[in-house]
Structures are given as C-alpha cells and as structure tokens.
C-alpha cells in the first residue's frame, strides 16, 4: 500500500530532505552517483547547448534576411550552419530527452533507487562534457565549415578553409559524445531488463520506458558505426590513406553510406523518446487509459528496428545504384505505418476523455499538429521521383525541422513542464508557460512552413546568397525564428522563475498513475521510502483530487 | 508513363497552380508534379481529419467540474489493425508511382546528344564535342543579388536543342557538387572520381536556372548556371559561332580574354595585381619577372612558364600559393597561345602587336 501522505518526510529533525537538499557543495554534485542529480546536470548542460545552437540559428536567419550579404561573410555563414546543426543534433536533441528527462524518470518510474550502473551514468555525463569541449574548441579554432554531415571529400581534403585541428576536434567530439550516448543506452537497457519491480511485466511499463528502451537499443547498435566513420575521417585526413577521397583512391559515396547508417537511426534516437513523453502527457491530462497500449509499445520497437534499414533514402541522387534507391524507398514507406499508428492512438485516447488543458498538454497538442506535418511531408521525400526534385532543397530543411523541432523540441518542453514539479519540487506558473507553448507553435510554423514552398520552387539549402524571388519566404522565416526564440526564452524564464517563486509542488499535481507520481516532489535520495505498489500505470480511476494538497491521491 | 496516372484528375484541381512549382519544362516534369500533388492531397486529407478530430475532442471532452466519467474503450484490435493496414494501400501506390517515374528519369536514352559537365569550386563547365566548345563562368563577385540579371550575367550557359534527348555526363574535379535544374525537376550529384549521368528532354524554348545543390564550400550559392533551350536552328547557329573561336574573336588578345573569363580562371586570378582569397597570383605584375617556386630555382615568367603552368600546374608551384590550380582547363595550343598573348598584353600593352 503506497502511502498517501508522502509529502511529509521521515527525517529525524523533520526538515524535508530530498535529493536536492541531501548534501551540499560543488563536489556533492560533481561526484554524485544519484541518477536524479546526473539528470539535472544533463538538463542544465543540454539546455545551455540548446541556447547556443539557437543563437547560431538566429544569426543564420538574420543573415538570410536579404539575398546578398546581410551581416556575416560567406565563410562565417558556413561555420554558423555547421555549428548550429552539430550542436543541436549532437549536444541537444540526442541527449536531451533520454539523458536529461530519461535519467531522472526512468528509475523512478520503475520504483527503483537508481539505474543499474550509477558510475557509468556519471561517466557518460563527463564524456558528454569532454565531447562538448571538443566541439567548442572547433568553434574557437574557427573554420569548421563542413556542415554537420562532414561529407567527404570536402571534410578530408585541404580544399576547404577548415584547419585540420578544427575537423579533428569536431570529429573527436562526435566520437566521445558517441561513447556518452552508448553508455546511457547500455545503462537503460540493463536497468529496464533487470530492475523492473515485482508486478511490473513488460506490458505494465509506462510507454515512456518502452520509448526509452527502443532508443537505447538504437544508441547501442548504431553509434559504434558513427564512431568508426569519424575515426576513418581523421585517419584519411592525417595520413592520406584512401578511404573516402578519390584522390587517394577512396569513394566519397561510401562515406554517405556509413554516415547515414548511423544518422538515420539517430533520427529515431531523437524522436522516439519524444513519442514516449507524448504518450504520458496525453494520457495523464486526458485522465483516461491510453488507447491501444500494445500497439504503441510495439510501434516503438518496430520503428527502432526498421530504422536501420532505410538509410539509403538520403542518397537517391548521390549516384548510388537505381535498384538500391528503389529498395530503400520501399522500406522507408513501411516505417510510416508505426508512426501513423501512434498519432491515431493518441487521438483515440482523447475520445471520451476528460481533458485538462495545462501547458504540457498544449505542448502535446502542438506536437500532434507539427509531427503530423513532419511525418506526412516525409512521404514526398521517400517517394523516388519527388525526392529527386526536393532533395537538398529547403523542403528537406522544413521537413526535418518539423520532425526534430516540432516533434522533439516541443516534446522536450512539454515533458519538462510536466515533470518539473517532480524535478524541482516547485509549481511553475501556468500562464507564461501557456504563452511559451503558443509562441513556440506560432513561431515554429512561421519559420518553417514557408520553407516547404521555397523548397518546392527550387531553393537549395545551405545557400549564403539566394535569388531575389525567394526573399519574402526567407523574411517570413526569419521573423518566425525570432518568435520561436522568444517562446523558448519565455519557457526557460518561467521555469527559472518557479525555482525562486513557485508554490511547493504536491506529490501528484496532474493526476498521473505511474510510479513517479507516488514519490515525494522532489524525491528523496532513495526515491521511495518504502517499495511502492505497482498498479496499472494508466488507470486513472483510482485517483481522487485532494483540495488540501492541491494534488491527486490514490484511493485504492 | 504510368497508365495508372491520376494526373488528369489532379490537373483539374485548382491547387496545381504555378504557385508551388517552377514552370514544367521537361518531358518528365509533369510526372513529378502529379505525384507531388497526389501525395499532397492525401496528406491534406489525413491532416484535416486528424486535426478536426483533435479539435472536436478537445472541445467535447474538456474537463468540466462535476462531470461524470465516461465509459471508454482502452483498445480495439479491429480498429487498430484497420488503421495500420488501410493507409498502406495508399503508401504502396505512392511508392509505385514514384518508382515508375524514377526509373524513367534514371534510365539513359539510347540515342541522345551528349554534353560533358564538370563541377568544381565554384563554377560549372560545359564541354561540347571533346572541348570544341567550353562554356564556363560563375556569378561575378560584384553581382547585385537583388537583380537577377546581374546575378546571371557571367554564368555559363548550357545550350541545348528543344525536344531532344540530352545526356549529361558529369564529373567533379574536387568535392561533391550537384546539378539541379528545378524547371526540369531533376538533379544529380556530381562526384569526384566517378561519372554520373543525367538526362532530360526540354519541351519548351526558354532559359532556366541551374543550381549547385550539394554543399561545396564558400561560394556554393554562387555556383549557378543557365540552361538555354532553343530551336534546333538556333542551336546550330549558336554552335557554329561558338565552336569557332578564331572567327568569333579574331584578335588573339580578345580571344585570350574570352578564354580567361570562360574557363574559370577568374575564380583565382585577378587582372589588377590583387590576390584573390584562396586563389592564385594575379596575371598582372609577374610577367618577365623571376617567380619564386617551391623547392626549385626561381623561373622567369615567360611564354614557356605560362604554358607549363597551364598544362601542368603542379610542375612549378608559385611559392606562397596552394596546390589548387586544376589541370586541363585549357589544353589546345592555339588557345594557350591566345592566353599567353592576353597575359603579355596585360603587362606590356605597347609591345604586343594586335591585329585590328
Ligand atoms: Cu533518414
Ligand atoms: Cu555546391
């Protein structure tokens, strides 16, 4: 029987002790093995990366205000889009949800004290930091201008302006970050396999865990390929051994195969955790059992596995063989199904529900809108003949931002607001949080929708100068980027404000039924004072709203 | 090409306006467009249905105080299987339609007019009949980007006859590039170390933009060109004039100047004594002087040195410059002679006699 009254504590001097107040000082954080503190450190670190990548984006969009030179030079522009992509992908989106929110929530959702390998978990964070330092040094050495894709032979020859050190620093960064990602993935896999509490079978886990599990699977299987690929780049660049560069007898298209063999599955590292978050946000705020649990769980695994077989859809115009393109196109279509299944199931979860419209739910709605567009526009790119026209145009840029930003970023914000009371022990103010959701939604669409039209009309991506006929689209897009940036700032400001001024959070502010809503907010070091009872994590009928604590309590 | 084409129906719909696409100017462009609009309409249909349901549920099932809980289903296998399987039929059709037209775009016609395309940083070069005509150039450094005329003033022109199958055999000298003609709905990466091919059949006379679509460094966005589609007659006329440089430019200085600006030398060599960033020495200032050379004794810049520098740039590398000058830009003796005359004349205008 879980205790209802978990907000009070059991410490002898009766001051509330939680993971935040447990111990003090820099070292108590830097050397911590507590998954919650590591999660919080990841959260801070990835948020900083997000703000950095966002700043690059704002500069890029400003440069594109006018067709010719606006604020920066050719070379600076190329460095900006390289850093924007690299920072956002490797430092923010990939670790964002799994390593920050996942680290915090995964053990608690399992009713466990910590992950299976706490030390590995801390190591993974420090690997992230080292990788990030390499990236930043590439920034300081100035000159990394290869795009986040590091396509050869551009990245391995001296033809470009990048200095050797910049390329090596950046690729080493990717290499080290890869380890960070593998460690986290491995840890999660083992934790989910071995630490589920009695009574929680595979199909009793919250869907967020299914999503994290599938993500971890990809992290462990795909990341080594990326690591090897970037090592090969360094080898070729330093020793002139021919792998990708035809001058030494290599093959540039081979690089693209290696790169996308990782980077397409990586797309699902970025979006699967978001699916998990959305499943939680929707069912909790609908106060209604998730619809089609098994289909959603299976679809995560299906996406993770199919994701390994479609990398060639990035290469329809690369010079790969016709037949290869045809096969990749066909398999790519099959991945559309599990993604669509999720949307339909979330929709069905809203049927006959009882919906609370708090900020996390608004983010979830925004996700449904944006991800649906992101997914549907993927069809234009998996179809062979339309992709030949659209490939490497702004259509592609718009498509993947609808998935990565409209999908992952909105889910990240939604999840952050949703779990914030648990993480910080404070309630954020609802109004500015809703404003942020609204600004992000409007700003996002304004930024990226015009890019679909532009791309269809033939505007290629990564262009510093462009033809005057595209200017009005670019200007809408730039204005949208400012609004989006403002929305993100409002979101972060709301959270920071709540740390100082927020009301104390109850154990269960939204009425969630999974285990994280049964431990105090914020949780004590050991998460649960007594082992919690495992019930159906989507059965909200056993909850009742309690006026006194302004939260929900279990009735049975 | 496909019999299952929905294009007539789609063409009747108001959405297929010029708003979305550049003009449709190749034989396979309409295939791309109708598949695009087909996917577009399917997407709009699903999007509207999903959003409408979402909005409806949001209003209908919003939380109200005192409202009793509704009985709801937690799963429904039939429904879930249905919505997994039924849309697949549409997906299969999309795949099929794209596949048929892709095979058409990517299977080279047997008899076609061949043109060789070279991509290098940062200009395109079109070569007809083994270099009988070479067209190249790029956007001028001082182009006004608000004015399309000015942007395209110096770009190379790919002249092709209308209603003729054209095959481009493409190769890159340095890094990846990609040849993209939006009006023809086609693009193909241009790869160093291998040949890639692209074909089209332009169905209307006109001038169409060409972009480089694969990031290739600083001036990626300046790697533009134009396709000039003209009647067979006009094409033949152009060909006759263009292939006869001596007739076109009887004055060797003028001929040399044309070669200088059409073969890509402008990218790296200035005519005013200044050094271009990541470029080579200016053509003004060194003539007749001793040129310092990496690892060898200095050489005097004269006819022989220029000739060797063009034919085999790596033989003597001017100290302080990179080994970046491509070989094979100009190979014919007469052309090299003209270029030498041009450079000499630039430095010593009085001593060169010019044929008037
Ligand atoms: Cu992909
Ligand atoms: Cu390019």
């Amino acid at each position: 029987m879980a205790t209802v009254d978990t907000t009070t504590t059991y410490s002898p001097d009766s001051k509330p002790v939680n993971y935040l107040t447990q111990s003090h000082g820099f070292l108590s954080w830097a050397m911590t093995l507590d998954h919650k503190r590591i999660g919080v450190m990841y959260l801070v670190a990835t948020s900083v990366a997000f703000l950095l990548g966002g700043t690059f984006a704002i500069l890029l969009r400003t440069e594109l205000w006018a067709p010719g030179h606006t604020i920066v030079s050719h070379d600076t522009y190329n460095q900006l889009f390289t850093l924007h992509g690299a920072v956002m992908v490797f430092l923010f989106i990939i670790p964002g949800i799994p390593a920050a929110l996942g680290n915090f929530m995964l053990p608690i959702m399992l009713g466990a004290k910590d992950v299976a390998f706490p030390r590995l978990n801390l190591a993974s964070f420090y690997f992230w930091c080292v990788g990030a330092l390499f990236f930043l040094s590439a920034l300081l050495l100035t000159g990394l201008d290869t795009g986040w894709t590091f396509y050869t032979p551009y990245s391995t020859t001296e033809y470009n302006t990048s200095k050797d050190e910049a390329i090596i620093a950046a690729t080493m960064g990717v290499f080290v970050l890869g380890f960070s990602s593998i460690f986290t993935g491995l840890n999660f896999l083992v934790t989910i396999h071995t630490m589920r509490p009695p009574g929680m079978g595979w199909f009793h886990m919250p869907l967020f865990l299914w999503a994290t599990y599938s993500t971890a699977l990809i992290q462990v299987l795909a990341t080594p390929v990326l690591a090897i690929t970037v090592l090969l780049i360094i080898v070729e660049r330093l020793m002139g051994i021919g792998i990708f560069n035809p001058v030494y007898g290599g093959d540039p298209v081979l690089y693209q195969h290696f790169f996308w063999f990782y980077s397409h599955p990586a797309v699902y590292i970025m979006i699967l955790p978001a699916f998990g978050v959305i499943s939680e946000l929707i069912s909790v705020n609908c106060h209604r059992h998730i619809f089609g649990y098994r289909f959603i769980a299976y679809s995560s695994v299906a996406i993770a596995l199919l994701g390994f077989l479609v990398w060639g859809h990035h290469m329809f115009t690369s010079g790969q063989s016709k037949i290869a393109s045809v096969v990749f196109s066909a398999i790519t279509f099959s991945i559309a199904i599990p993604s669509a299944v999720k949307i339909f199931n979330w929709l069905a979860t809203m049927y006959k529900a009882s919906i609370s419209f708090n900020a996390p739910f608004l983010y979830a709605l925004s996700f449904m809108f944006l991800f649906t567009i992101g997914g549907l526009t993927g069809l234009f790119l998996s179809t062979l003949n339309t992709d030949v026209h659209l490939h490497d145009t702004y259509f592609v840029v718009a498509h993947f931002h609808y998935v990565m930003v409209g999908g992952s970023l909105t889910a990240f914000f939604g999840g952050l607001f949703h779990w914030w009371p648990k993480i910080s022990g404070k309630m954020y103010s609802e109004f500015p949080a809703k404003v942020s959701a609204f600004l992000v939604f409007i700003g996002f669409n304004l930024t990226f929708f015009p890019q679909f039209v532009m791309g269809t009309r033939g505007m290629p991506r990564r262009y510093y100068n462009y033809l005057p006929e595209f200017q009005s689209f670019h200007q809408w897009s730039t204005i949208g980027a400012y609004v989006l940036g403002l929305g993100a700032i409002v979101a972060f400001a709301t959270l920071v404000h709540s740390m100082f001024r927020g009301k104390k959070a109850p154990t269960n502010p939204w009425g969630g039924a999974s285990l994280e809503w049964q431990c105090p907010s914020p949780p004590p070091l050991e998460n649960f004072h007594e082992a919690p009872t495992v019930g159906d994590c989507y059965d909200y009928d056993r909850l009742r709203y309690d006026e006194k604590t302004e939260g929900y309590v279990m009735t049975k | 090409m496909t019999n299952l084409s929905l294009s007539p129906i789609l063409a009747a719909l108001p959405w297929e306006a010029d708003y979305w696409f550049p003009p449709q100017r190749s034989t396979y462009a309409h295939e791309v467009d109708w598949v695009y609009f087909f996917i577009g309409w399917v997407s709009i249909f699903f999007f509207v249905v999903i959003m409408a349901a979402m909005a409806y549920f949001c209003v209908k099932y919003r939380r109200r105080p005192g409202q009793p809980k509704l009985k709801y289903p937690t799963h429904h296998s039939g429904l879930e299987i249905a919505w997994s399987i039924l849309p697949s039929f549409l997906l299969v059709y999309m795949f099929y339609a794209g596949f048929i037209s892709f095979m058409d775009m990517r299977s080279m016609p047997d008899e076609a007019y061949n043109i060789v395309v070279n991509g290098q940083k940062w200009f395109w070069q079109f070569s007809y009949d083994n270099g009988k005509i070479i067209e190249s150039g790029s956007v001028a450094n001082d182009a006004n980007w608000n004015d399309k005329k000015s942007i395209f003033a110096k770009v190379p022109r790919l002249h092709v006859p209308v209603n003729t199958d054209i095959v481009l055999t493409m190769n890159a000298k340095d890094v990846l590039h990609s040849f993209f003609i939006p009006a023809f709905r086609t693009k193909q990466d241009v790869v160093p170390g291998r040949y890639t091919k692209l074909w089209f059949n332009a169905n209307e006379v006109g001038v169409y933009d060409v972009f480089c679509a694969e990031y290739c460094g600083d001036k990626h966005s300046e790697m533009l060109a134009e396709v000039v589609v003209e009647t067979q007659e006009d094409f033949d006329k152009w060909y006759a004039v263009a292939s006869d440089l001596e007739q076109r430019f009887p004055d060797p200085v003028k001929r040399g100047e044309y070669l200088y600006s059409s073969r890509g030398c402008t990218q790296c060599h200035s005519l005013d004594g200044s050094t271009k960033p990541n470029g080579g020495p200016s053509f003004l200032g060194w003539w007749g002087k001793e040129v310092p050379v990496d690892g060898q004794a200095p050489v005097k810049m004269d006819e022989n040195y220029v000739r060797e520098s063009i034919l085999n740039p790596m033989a003597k590398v001017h100290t302080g410059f990179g080994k970046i000058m491509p070989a094979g830009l100009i190979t014919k003796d007469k052309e090299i002679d003209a270029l030498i005359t041009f450079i000499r004349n630039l430095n010593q205008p009085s001593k060169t006699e010019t044929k008037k």
Side-chain angles (χ1 to χ4, degrees):
Chain A
M1 174 65 221
T3 45
V4 166
D5 184 19
T6 39
T7 43
T8 54
T9 67
Y10 299 82
S11 70
D13 57 358
S14 99
K15 263 210 213 113
V17 171
N18 58 50
Y19 81 101
L20 292 167
T21 55
Q22 182 78 30
S23 50
H24 297 278
F26 176 75
L27 281 184
S28 77
W29 281 84
M31 304 302 285
T32 185
L33 297 180
D34 177 15
H35 70 98
K36 297 183 287 301
R37 285 194 169 190
I38 296 174
V40 169
M41 292 194 292
Y42 256 123
L43 186 62
V44 173
T46 51
S47 301
V48 170
F50 170 72
L51 293 177
L52 190 66
T55 310
F56 294 138
I58 294 289
L59 291 173
L60 282 176
R61 284 305 333 163
T62 308
E63 167 54 41
L64 291 169
W65 181 259
H69 168 90
T70 313
I71 52 165
V72 296
S73 67
H74 279 91
D75 192 33
T76 312
Y77 173 83
N78 293 345
Q79 294 176 31
L80 281 174
F81 77 66
T82 301
L83 285 160
H84 165 68
V87 167
M88 283 301 198
V89 168
F90 293 112
L91 296 183
F92 173 62
I93 310 185
I94 289 184
I97 296 181
L101 297 178
N103 237 320
F104 198 101
M105 289 304 153
L106 182 131
I108 306 185
M109 283 180 158
L110 289 173
K113 183 179 175 312
D114 211 314
V115 291
F117 308 119
R119 275 170 225 282
L120 194 64
N121 202 14
L122 185 64
S124 139
F125 177 69
Y126 283 113
F127 270 75
W128 185 92
C129 293
V130 173
L133 281 181
F134 271 115
F135 255 172
L136 292 183
S137 64
L139 166 71
L140 294 178
L141 290 169
T142 64
L144 181 71
D145 69 341
T146 59
W148 78 277
T149 46
F150 302 108
Y151 265 22
T152 56
Y154 190 79
S155 61
T156 61
T157 55
E158 292 172 45
Y159 290 118
N160 63 23
T161 50
S162 312
K163 300 192 191 103
D164 274 355
E165 308 88 69
I167 301 265
I168 290 169
T171 45
M172 273 316 285
V174 173
F175 187 75
V176 174
L177 286 168
F179 272 98
S180 161
S181 186
I182 293 172
F183 287 174
T184 304
L186 193 68
N187 219 337
F188 287 1
L189 285 183
V190 176
T191 308
I192 292 177
H193 267 279
T194 60
M195 294 174 71
R196 274 174 292 117
M200 189 187 283
W202 282 94
F203 290 102
H204 301 127
M205 291 197 307
L207 287 164
F208 181 64
L209 295 188
W210 270 103
T212 324
Y213 183 84
S214 315
T215 310
L217 211 59
I218 310 176
Q219 286 176 303
V220 170
L221 293 178
T223 317
V225 177
L226 178 71
I228 292 166
T229 309
V230 296
L231 273 192
L232 291 178
I233 288 195
I234 297 181
V235 167
E236 175 160 88
R237 177 118 190 170
L238 287 188
M239 306 182 206
I241 294 175
I243 302 162
F244 306 127
N245 186 352
V247 171
Y248 311 122
D251 178 1
V253 180
L254 177 67
Y255 171 81
Q256 297 175 32
H257 281 289
F258 281 173
F259 179 81
W260 290 112
F261 184 84
Y262 165 76
S263 293
H264 188 81
V267 169
Y268 296 108
I269 297 181
M270 305 184 223
I271 193 69
L272 276 173
F275 290 157
V277 170
I278 297 300
S279 296
E280 301 302 321
L281 295 190
I282 290 194
S283 57
V284 170
N285 292 303
C286 286
H287 304 279
R288 172 209 195 286
H289 196 290
I290 189 98
F291 183 88
Y293 176 97
R294 274 176 191 255
F295 265 68
I296 300 185
Y298 283 136
S299 66
S300 289
V301 181
I303 289 174
L305 298 181
L306 285 174
F308 279 98
L309 305 176
V310 299
W311 76 88
H313 64 208
H314 296 266
M315 301 169 58
F316 291 160
T317 68
S318 70
Q320 82 181 352
S321 84
K322 268 186 295 198
I323 300 306
S325 296
V326 169
V327 172
F328 281 120
S329 165
I331 306 176
T332 302
F333 275 104
S334 67
I335 217 164
I337 308 245
S339 315
V341 162
K342 288 193 189 266
I343 294 278
F344 290 139
N345 277 302
W346 291 326
L347 204 57
T349 305
M350 293 168 66
Y351 174 63
K352 294 202 172 172
S354 170
I355 304 172
S356 314
F357 288 92
N358 54 14
F361 191 73
L362 293 190
Y363 272 109
L365 288 181
S366 162
F367 176 98
M368 296 254 288
F369 184 100
L370 302 176
F371 181 75
T372 304
I373 295 183
L376 289 170
T377 50
L379 298 174
F380 295 83
L381 300 173
S382 28
T383 303
L384 289 157
N385 69 340
T386 43
D387 181 69
V388 169
H389 177 65
L390 299 171
H391 180 72
D392 267 333
T393 67
Y394 266 75
F395 191 96
V396 176
V397 176
H399 160 71
F400 73 74
H401 279 89
Y402 264 85
V403 176
M404 307 281 75
V405 183
S408 306
L409 181 72
T410 40
F412 176 77
F413 277 137
L416 194 54
F417 279 111
H418 181 69
W419 283 305
W420 186 252
K422 191 58 60 185
I423 296 172
S424 70
K426 295 291 172 58
M427 296 302 287
Y428 60 84
S429 15
E430 203 53 59
F431 180 71
K434 282 182 176 157
V435 169
S436 80
F438 183 74
L439 286 177
V440 168
F441 179 76
I442 296 294
F444 178 84
N445 283 300
L446 200 52
T447 313
F448 293 105
F449 200 83
Q451 299 187 359
F452 284 125
V453 187
M454 233 187 322
T456 308
R457 288 180 164 199
M459 167 82 211
R461 62 191 287 208
R462 296 175 166 178
Y463 262 32
Y464 169 76
N465 291 323
Y466 56 84
L467 303 187
E469 66 217 45
F470 295 113
Q471 186 173 17
S472 66
F473 297 104
H474 275 294
Q475 293 191 336
W476 282 115
S477 194
T478 301
I479 295 171
Y482 296 155
V483 177
L484 179 55
L486 183 68
I489 289 171
V490 173
F492 282 117
T494 308
L495 294 176
V496 170
H497 175 262
S498 78
M499 292 199 298
F500 302 104
R501 291 290 166 78
K503 271 206 309 214
K504 199 179 154 1
T507 297
N508 190 353
W510 317 124
S514 40
L515 293 181
E516 81 268 29
W517 303 112
Q518 293 182 33
C519 76
S521 308
L525 180 62
E526 66 276 26
N527 294 342
F528 296 93
H529 297 295
E530 339 171 347
T533 36
V534 177
D536 181 345
C537 58
Y538 292 108
D539 177 9
Y540 301 101
D541 294 339
R542 45 197 185 114
L543 291 156
R544 174 178 61 75
Y545 188 70
D546 175 37
E547 301 283 345
K548 213 167 75 231
T549 57
E550 297 193 337
Y552 288 76
V553 290
M554 281 286 175
T555 52
K556 0 175 183 148
Chain B
M1 179 139 186
T2 145
N3 308 328
L4 287 171
S5 170
L6 293 182
S7 61
I9 310 169
L10 289 168
L13 293 168
W15 195 35
E16 191 167 0
D18 284 345
Y19 181 75
W20 284 85
F21 274 104
Q24 217 176 53
R25 292 296 184 263
S26 71
T27 44
Y28 46 59
H30 73 277
E31 295 280 341
V32 174
D33 293 9
W34 85 256
V35 175
Y36 181 97
F37 287 113
F38 170 67
I39 303 173
W41 283 109
V42 170
S43 301
I44 288 181
F45 171 77
F46 277 98
F47 181 73
V48 168
V49 168
I50 292 170
M51 287 306 121
M54 191 173 99
Y56 178 73
F57 292 162
C58 278
V59 176
K60 176 106 198 259
Y61 303 117
R62 68 186 184 278
R63 195 149 233 225
R64 277 163 291 195
Q67 186 197 34
K69 283 230 163 188
L70 299 168
K71 261 184 81 77
Y72 52 75
T74 62
H75 65 94
H76 187 293
S77 304
L79 190 61
E80 290 177 77
I81 290 172
W83 72 39
S84 314
I85 293 185
L86 292 182
S88 319
F89 291 108
L90 283 170
L91 297 183
V92 169
Y93 185 66
M94 280 173 201
F95 164 75
Y96 175 76
F99 159 71
I100 295 292
S101 140
F102 178 77
M103 293 311 271
D104 181 25
M105 290 165 94
R106 285 293 185 255
S107 309
M108 298 303 133
D110 296 332
E111 299 211 341
Y113 187 77
N114 273 280
I115 303 170
V116 171
V117 173
N118 264 298
Q120 60 186 290
K121 289 191 313 190
W122 288 279
F123 57 94
W124 295 107
Q125 195 180 60
F126 308 126
S127 151
Y128 294 74
D129 287 334
N130 299 320
K132 202 154 181 204
I133 304 176
I134 290 182
E135 286 276 318
S136 81
S138 67
V139 178
N141 283 336
D142 56 358
N144 171 6
W145 283 89
N146 290 310
D147 172 14
K148 224 174 149 169
K149 270 222 185 83
S150 155
I151 300 171
F152 283 92
K154 297 253 166 87
V155 303
R157 297 193 167 73
L158 179 69
H159 288 261
V160 296
V162 72
N163 294 329
T164 309
D165 289 347
I166 310 287
V167 170
L168 306 182
T169 303
M170 309 194 290
N171 180 239
K173 287 236 160 85
D174 36 37
V175 299
L176 298 172
H177 303 277
S178 184
F179 200 74
F180 177 29
I181 318 163
F184 297 171
R185 309 288 186 272
T186 191
K187 86 164 58 69
Q188 171 64 52
D189 286 9
V190 182
V191 182
R194 66 159 85 171
Y195 292 100
T196 53
K197 290 192 174 205
L198 179 143
W199 83 273
F200 60 81
N201 185 325
N203 56 14
E204 211 170 305
V205 169
V207 179
Y208 310 109
D209 305 344
V210 176
F211 298 104
C212 175
E214 183 67 65
Y215 174 67
C216 55
D218 271 6
K219 297 198 182 160
H220 169 51
S221 62
E222 269 104 305
M223 219 173 133
L224 307 181
E226 269 174 357
V227 189
V228 179
V229 180
E230 48 206 357
T231 58
Q232 187 69 45
E233 240 170 30
D234 289 350
F235 177 77
D236 292 340
K237 255 190 238 156
W238 165 81
Y239 189 93
V241 175
S243 57
D244 190 350
L245 273 192
E246 276 167 69
Q247 195 189 323
R248 233 165 117 194
F249 304 100
D251 177 352
V253 175
K254 285 268 148 54
R255 213 182 312 144
E257 187 181 0
Y258 169 78
L259 290 167
Y260 165 76
S261 55
S262 68
R263 301 290 166 87
C265 321
T266 34
Q267 276 294 314
C268 301
H269 297 284
S270 79
L271 298 182
D272 58 4
S274 64
T275 304
K276 300 214 173 185
N278 296 315
S282 175
F283 283 163
L284 183 68
W286 287 101
W287 185 264
K289 301 207 179 102
E290 296 282 315
V291 174
V293 175
D294 283 355
Q296 295 172 40
V299 263
K300 189 165 159 227
M301 173 133 160
D302 56 9
E303 285 80 354
N304 284 322
Y305 176 69
V306 170
R307 189 183 154 81
E308 185 186 45
S309 293
I310 296 173
L311 287 174
N312 185 6
M314 296 306 123
K316 298 196 178 70
V317 176
H318 194 134
T319 305
F321 295 95
K323 289 186 171 188
I324 52 169
M325 169 147 168
L329 293 177
I330 302 180
T331 47
K332 277 186 272 177
D333 283 338
K334 280 194 176 165
E335 295 183 354
I336 293 177
D337 291 347
L339 208 104
I340 291 173
T341 315
F342 167 67
I343 296 179
R344 188 183 338 113
N345 181 62
L346 187 72
N347 288 277
Q348 307 169 331
S350 51
K351 291 193 193 159
T352 311
E353 2 162 343
T354 45
K355 271 190 272 169
K356 284 279 132 70

